[in-house]
Amino acid sequence: MHPGPDGDPGAADAPPPRKADTDEATAHDPAEPGVTTDGPVTTTGGPLATARTGHPYRPRNWALWRRRPVQVAFMLVAEAVAVAILAVAFARSPIPSGNDWINFAILAAGATVHIQLTQRQEERRRNRTKTVLIDLTAVWTFSAAMILPIPLILFVIAVIRAQHWFIARRPAHNFVFSSITHGLAATLAHVTYTSLGPHLLGPPDWGGFLREFGTIVLTGAIYEAIQIAYVGGVLLLGSPAGRTVRNVLGSPADNTLEAITIGLGAVTAILLAAVPPMVAVMAVVTVVFNRLAELDQLQNDVRTDPKTGILNMRGWSESAERALERTARSGDQLALLMVDLDHFKWINDTYGHPAGDDVLRTVAQTLDEVTRPSDLVGRFGGEEFLILLPDIDEESTWDAAERIRIAIAKLHIVTTDKRGDPATIADRTTSIGVARHPRHGDTLERLLQSADAAVYLAKENGRDQVCFAPDTPGGGLPAPAEP
């Protein structure tokens, strides 16, 4: 969706994030990682070197053509369908009234205040974002979809998009695609909402209120679904290394923020219909909310491993200590797994470090998928991962460890080799060490030492297996195949 963590070229050609402005992602060109504009490219190499320059406004030099052909086809077809729908909806829309123009002016002014006062915050968030960027402008576009006719809805979006273009220059094809996506989402949301009218100022009874609430929820779902279909579709057709659920659909935090933003848009529309001057309050709310989103992102960055997207050692340790304290108080059982990828250095030496990064990301995602929501998955360092399993008995611990070992062995990781050619890494084995509380330690540090000793036992006994920690230092044997 933009340059991947630690310069991953596999993610560099992936399209920008869902639900955010696609031009707002730090999307590098796939052919030239690190290039963030469509400007001229010059190659030099000594006295005999020749310069290669392409004018960015010539169609053949557009960065769009350096994407994967299937992505280009999807984007062009999706844009053509969207433009056709917008044209029909625009032609059938009633002429805006004087009151519509007043409402438009209020929303445009509120959006402008929001964008200009949060410019620096958004730039910092954009530069730090590794997955999805939610820019909060849905507060204004969604409210426009509820309260304005289609021509003025598109006008509001144009005002917002123009300011984004001058604030954060991004490749033109990204900007056009995301602008059309916003327009289509808002237009179809408007059609949904108006077809289920009358609204907002209806009779004050609970039946009417509940019906209105349901209509707004449905409208918000349509608004969101269009963006998922368009931008998520481009992501799905992107680099194979970037095809993860998190990259395409966003994290739970991303989706929560988007839902809150749409909810604030609905509140803005209601205020605009009932007490228009109160929209000024929403401008202040969006500025404050932007700051809160930035703080949340900063906290998340401190706790998250940039290469894999899971908890880093600091974030994992903090959460694991709290889980251990709860276990000690309740007397429940707890287990710690240390997962070590066998012969990982061979992958880096054979395919290159970018391929190794793809393996780490895929394994991290797999661990997230095969563990319980209550389990804590983190990266210990290098090719090692940690999983804390609260409230689990010994037999279930063994089953969980075996499930993880088998899941990793079944992976077929699509990546590239040292020359950039497609490659697939498969049949990788894993050594897993298991420590249980309080049998192998009553503190997190002792559990880590015990799990580490169990990993060494697994490797000494031939790798590709699960071993429980010895009961005493220097003693003990690997757990049997059937506990």
Side-chain angles (χ1 to χ4, degrees):
M1 41 176 64
H2 40 67
D6 302 307
D8 167 37
D13 73 345
R18 176 184 70 81
K19 299 184 296 185
D21 291 329
T22 58
D23 57 297
E24 305 253 345
T26 51
H28 291 359
D29 184 88
E32 303 185 53
V35 179
T36 57
T37 69
D38 292 341
V41 178
T42 303
T43 304
T44 59
L48 300 179
T50 58
R52 171 174 60 88
T53 303
H55 197 287
Y57 296 111
R58 293 177 181 171
R60 67 178 182 178
N61 296 324
W62 290 350
L64 171 64
W65 311 124
R66 292 192 288 271
R67 290 186 180 275
R68 303 180 75 212
V70 67
Q71 285 180 292
V72 175
F74 177 85
M75 292 177 73
L76 294 179
V77 171
E79 287 175 346
V81 171
V83 169
I85 294 174
L86 290 174
V88 173
F90 188 95
R92 294 183 176 181
S93 177
I95 298 175
S97 65
N99 189 59
D100 290 332
W101 282 102
I102 293 174
N103 289 337
F104 159 77
I106 293 173
L107 289 179
T112 299
V113 170
H114 168 204
I115 293 170
Q116 296 302 321
L117 292 183
T118 60
Q119 176 180 344
R120 292 183 179 275
Q121 295 171 15
E122 284 300 298
E123 187 64 35
R124 290 193 296 265
R125 291 182 63 221
R126 187 182 304 113
N127 291 337
R128 287 192 298 267
T129 295
K130 298 296 187 293
T131 52
V132 177
L133 175 67
I134 308 299
D135 63 11
L136 306 181
T137 54
V139 170
W140 310 106
T141 55
F142 186 69
S143 58
M146 289 177 59
I147 207 76
L148 296 178
I150 290 175
L152 295 186
I153 294 172
L154 300 180
F155 204 176
V156 168
I157 293 173
V159 170
I160 294 172
R161 303 297 296 151
Q163 293 180 75
H164 279 165
W165 170 255
F166 288 107
I167 288 173
R169 295 275 185 168
R170 292 296 182 256
H173 69 278
N174 283 3
F175 179 82
V176 171
F177 184 81
S178 60
S179 298
I180 291 175
T181 300
H182 279 290
L184 180 63
T187 297
L188 293 183
H190 171 82
V191 171
T192 301
Y193 187 69
T194 54
S195 66
L196 299 175
H199 298 294
L200 298 176
L201 299 180
D205 64 89
W206 279 106
F209 289 153
L210 292 176
R211 181 178 182 276
E212 181 71 5
F213 176 77
T215 301
I216 292 174
V217 170
L218 178 61
T219 303
I222 295 294
Y223 180 85
E224 180 69 357
I226 296 300
Q227 298 190 67
I228 291 175
Y230 266 62
V231 184
V234 179
L235 289 170
L236 194 61
L237 297 173
S239 169
R243 293 175 190 166
T244 66
V245 174
R246 183 185 180 91
N247 285 354
V248 175
L249 298 180
S251 68
D254 297 326
N255 287 278
T256 299
L257 181 58
E258 178 75 354
I260 292 173
T261 304
I262 292 175
L264 290 175
V267 172
T268 303
I270 294 171
L271 289 176
L272 189 59
V275 190
M278 288 296 293
V279 174
V281 175
M282 295 307 299
V284 177
V285 169
T286 55
V287 172
V288 173
F289 210 75
N290 254 90
R291 175 58 58 90
L292 294 176
E294 183 183 21
L295 292 175
D296 182 71
Q297 185 184 42
L298 286 170
Q299 292 176 341
N300 185 64
D301 289 345
V302 171
R303 294 167 49 84
T304 303
D305 174 55
K307 191 185 296 292
T308 60
I310 61 176
L311 291 173
N312 59 19
M313 194 56 192
R314 174 178 177 174
W316 184 88
S317 296
E318 292 174 352
S319 299
E321 287 284 8
R322 291 193 292 270
L324 193 59
E325 290 174 2
R326 290 193 297 270
T327 297
R329 289 194 302 267
S330 63
D332 292 333
Q333 303 183 67
L334 176 146
L336 172 63
L337 309 185
M338 183 175 289
V339 180
D340 190 297
L341 304 181
D342 296 328
H343 303 298
F344 184 75
K345 185 177 182 298
W346 176 84
I347 296 175
N348 284 333
D349 293 342
T350 304
Y351 296 96
H353 286 84
D357 291 347
D358 288 341
V359 171
L360 291 175
R361 273 188 290 275
T362 305
V363 169
Q365 182 190 5
T366 300
L367 295 178
D368 236 358
E369 293 172 350
V370 300
T371 53
R372 303 170 301 175
S374 59
D375 297 337
L376 288 176
V377 180
R379 186 181 177 203
F380 187 55
E383 66 273 21
E384 293 180 318
F385 298 87
L386 295 171
I387 307 172
L388 194 75
L389 308 173
D391 190 21
I392 189 169
D393 59 31
E394 186 164 337
E395 183 176 357
S396 297
T397 300
W398 178 271
D399 292 339
E402 274 293 302
R403 184 167 59 250
I404 290 169
R405 185 187 66 81
I406 294 171
I408 294 175
K410 290 181 177 179
L411 290 176
H412 286 73
I413 302 166
V414 179
T415 182
T416 55
D417 59 21
K418 291 181 177 179
R419 297 182 178 181
D421 296 326
T424 300
I425 298 176
D427 302 320
R428 305 312 307 163
T429 62
T430 307
S431 298
I432 302 178
V434 182
R436 290 185 52 77
H437 173 277
R439 174 182 170 189
H440 301 117
D442 56 0
T443 66
L444 187 60
E445 182 179 3
R446 291 177 181 174
L447 286 173
L448 286 170
Q449 291 173 347
S450 297
D452 187 55
V455 168
Y456 278 105
L457 276 177
K459 289 186 177 294
E460 290 170 0
N461 284 276
R463 295 183 169 86
D464 190 22
Q465 59 186 278
V466 176
C467 283
F468 275 71
D471 287 328
T472 57
L477 295 172
E482 294 293 338

